[in-house]
């Protein structure tokens, strides 16, 4: 009973975890990675924060309503003593004080401070959006790279399994020949050594495949022990797709984010220059209280007021001038960074394009080598079956066939990896799709 209960616990809790299997296409993997990424979620919050900052800057154009109210008691007040006995002393103010003031003010002229701050906040808003898009593109790029690595690991495992099966057939054949006196112990040892080597190679490939699956699972928010089954069709790509292409238009969001940073720095220089000009605002107010304006009669009274307010300051140390120069230097710095990044991305795109064409040529060569190796091994099997080829030579040809097969299968994935690098370099929207 105890053994049965333990088996049931294993099936209910442990086995589902180990045997979890998920079929996943490339486009679906990218979608899940975009939904799961914490960096993207952080960027979304940054973008929302920038949106609120922009709304805050725009709100400064609107009138502002302020209310102040105070109530207090004084134990003594000033008074006027008249020398005429018939005239009583007159108290100035009131011991009990109640005062409420309502004021509405609106900016009329700020020298460019308001419009500059709004434009700077808008540039920051666009910059946050481009930064978010850059993060999305980076996540898609890393997800595709992990997916292709898993595809490559799948191919390597299947090739190692096929090699292991071929060696097993040769090993069994050598055993039969030995039993019939047609092979010696050296042949048995050679086949046994080759068999153990393929077992080791297969274990290495399976471990690499498990690790590749764990990396992809981590990117898309799955448990690391969940097994991912690749469903993307491994068709041979169009080798001439990029053959005639010499350059590409770079559309990376990082460049647009730097444009926003440049605009923001230019607006900060404008805001700093506005420090030379005064601020003019209009206001209207209403006051109600006791004694309020009437300092001689402790009565409730109110009044309205309307007017203009002018504020202007000047620093004799050149504060405004230096702040303008600082903002301009920041703008120059952003322009230089954009120029440097554009040069790097153009170089990166050219290299990626050259790697794609190289991968296409390598794929064509590897395919021919694989076909030749297949033909050689098939002929070698025929010659070995009639005793015209040694087991050692057959093992060498099997290794050659395995290497050629792996090189050809890998060349297809390397083409897609190179294409992924190119998509990321130029900022292509195709990075969010499948093959």
């Amino acid at each position: 009973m105890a053994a049965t209960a333990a088996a049931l616990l294993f099936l209910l809790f442990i086995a589902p975890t180990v045997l979890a299997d998920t079929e996943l296409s490339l486009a679906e993997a990218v979608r899940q990675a975009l939904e799961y990424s914490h960096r993207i979620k952080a960027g979304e919050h940054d973008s929302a924060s920038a949106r609120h900052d922009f709304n805050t800057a725009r709100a400064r154009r609107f009138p502002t309503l302020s209310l102040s109210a105070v109530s207090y008691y004084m134990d003594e007040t000033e008074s006027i003593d008249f020398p005429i006995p018939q005239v009583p002393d007159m108290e100035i103010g009131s011991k009990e004080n109640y005062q409420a003031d309502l004021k509405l003010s609106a900016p009329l002229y700020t020298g460019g401070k308001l419009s500059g701050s709004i434009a700077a906040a808008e540039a920051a808003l666009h910059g946050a959006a481009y930064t978010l898009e850059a993060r999305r593109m980076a996540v898609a790029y890393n997800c595709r790279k992990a997916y292709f690595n898993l595809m490559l690991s799948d191919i390597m495992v299947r090739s190692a399994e096929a090699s292991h099966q071929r060696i097993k057939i040769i090993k069994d054949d050598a055993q039969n020949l030995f039993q019939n006196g047609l092979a010696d112990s050296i042949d048995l040892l050679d086949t046994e050594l080759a068999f153990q080597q393929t077992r080791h190679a297969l274990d290495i490939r399976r471990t690499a495949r498990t690790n590749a699956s764990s990396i992809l699972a981590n990117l898309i928010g799955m448990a690391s022990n969940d097994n991912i089954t690749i469903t993307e069709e491994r068709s041979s790509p169009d080798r001439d797709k990029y053959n005639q292409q010499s350059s590409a238009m770079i559309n990376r969001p990082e460049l647009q984010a730097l444009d926003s940073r440049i605009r923001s720095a230019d607006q900060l220089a404008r805001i700093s220059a506005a420090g030379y000009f005064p601020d003019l605002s209009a206001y209207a107010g209403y006051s109600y209280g006791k004694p309020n304006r009437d300092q001689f009669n402790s009565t409730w009274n109110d009044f309205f007021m309307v007017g203009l307010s002018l504020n202007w300051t000047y620093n004799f140390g050149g504060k405004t001038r230096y702040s303008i120069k600082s903002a301009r230097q920041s703008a120059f710095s952003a322009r230089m960074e954009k120029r440097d990044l554009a040069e790097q991305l153009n170089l990166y795109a050219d290299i990626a394009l050259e790697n794609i064409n190289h991968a296409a040529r390598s794929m064509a060569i590897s395919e021919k080598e694989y076909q030749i190796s297949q033909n050689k091994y098939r002929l070698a099997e025929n010659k070995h079956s009639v005793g015209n080829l040694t087991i050692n030579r057959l093992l060498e040809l099997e290794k050659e066939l395995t290497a050629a097969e792996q090189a050809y299968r890998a060349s297809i994935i390397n083409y897609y990896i190179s294409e992924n690098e190119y998509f990321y370099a130029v900022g292509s929207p195709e990075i969010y799709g499948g093959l």
Side-chain angles (χ1 to χ4, degrees), residues 14-75:
I14 301 176
T17 302
V18 175
L19 300 177
D21 196 2
T22 302
E23 294 185 350
L24 204 62
S25 66
L26 178 56
E28 180 64 19
V30 172
R31 185 189 65 80
Q32 291 188 25
L34 294 176
E35 291 178 354
Y36 175 73
S37 173
H38 298 301
R39 281 183 54 80
I40 290 179
K41 292 176 182 177
E44 290 173 347
H45 290 298
D46 289 339
S47 184
S49 176
R51 166 63 64 179
H52 294 316
D53 289 339
F54 174 62
N55 291 334
T56 299
R58 288 198 306 175
R60 294 192 182 101
R61 285 191 179 276
F62 294 89
T64 300
L65 182 65
S66 61
L67 172 65
S68 64
V70 63
S71 175
Y72 59 92
Y73 176 82
M74 295 188 301
D75 60 348

Side-chain angles (χ1 to χ4, degrees), residues 90-107:
M90 181 175 293
E91 187 179 66
I92 301 176
S94 174
K95 292 182 178 180
E96 294 183 3
N97 292 268
Y98 306 93
Q99 185 68 38
D101 295 300
L102 191 65
K103 185 178 181 181
L104 182 67
S105 60

Side-chain angles (χ1 to χ4, degrees), residues 203-222:
D203 183 69
I204 292 175
R205 299 302 185 187
R206 285 174 175 170
T207 301
R209 200 268 177 207
T210 300
N211 293 337
S213 178
S214 297
I215 292 173
L216 180 58
N218 178 262
L219 289 175
I220 63 178
M222 293 174 55

Side-chain angles (χ1 to χ4, degrees), residues 91-147:
E91 187 179 66
I92 301 176
S94 174
K95 292 182 178 180
E96 294 183 3
N97 292 268
Y98 306 93
Q99 185 68 38
D101 295 300
L102 191 65
K103 185 178 181 181
L104 182 67
S105 60
L108 297 180
Y109 175 77
T110 62
K113 296 184 186 71
L114 275 179
S115 57
S117 62
I118 294 173
E122 185 177 17
L125 173 61
H126 293 161
Y130 292 132
T131 300
L132 173 60
E133 181 58 31
R135 292 185 181 184
R136 287 174 53 83
M137 187 164 288
V139 168
Y141 163 75
N142 289 325
C143 179
R144 287 171 65 91
K145 186 164 64 172
Y147 192 94

Side-chain angles (χ1 to χ4, degrees), residues 184-198:
D184 57 19
S185 57
I186 298 295
D187 292 332
L188 289 181
L189 291 175
D190 284 339
T191 55
E192 182 63 29
L193 177 60
F195 183 75
Q196 296 302 323
Q197 288 174 340
T198 56

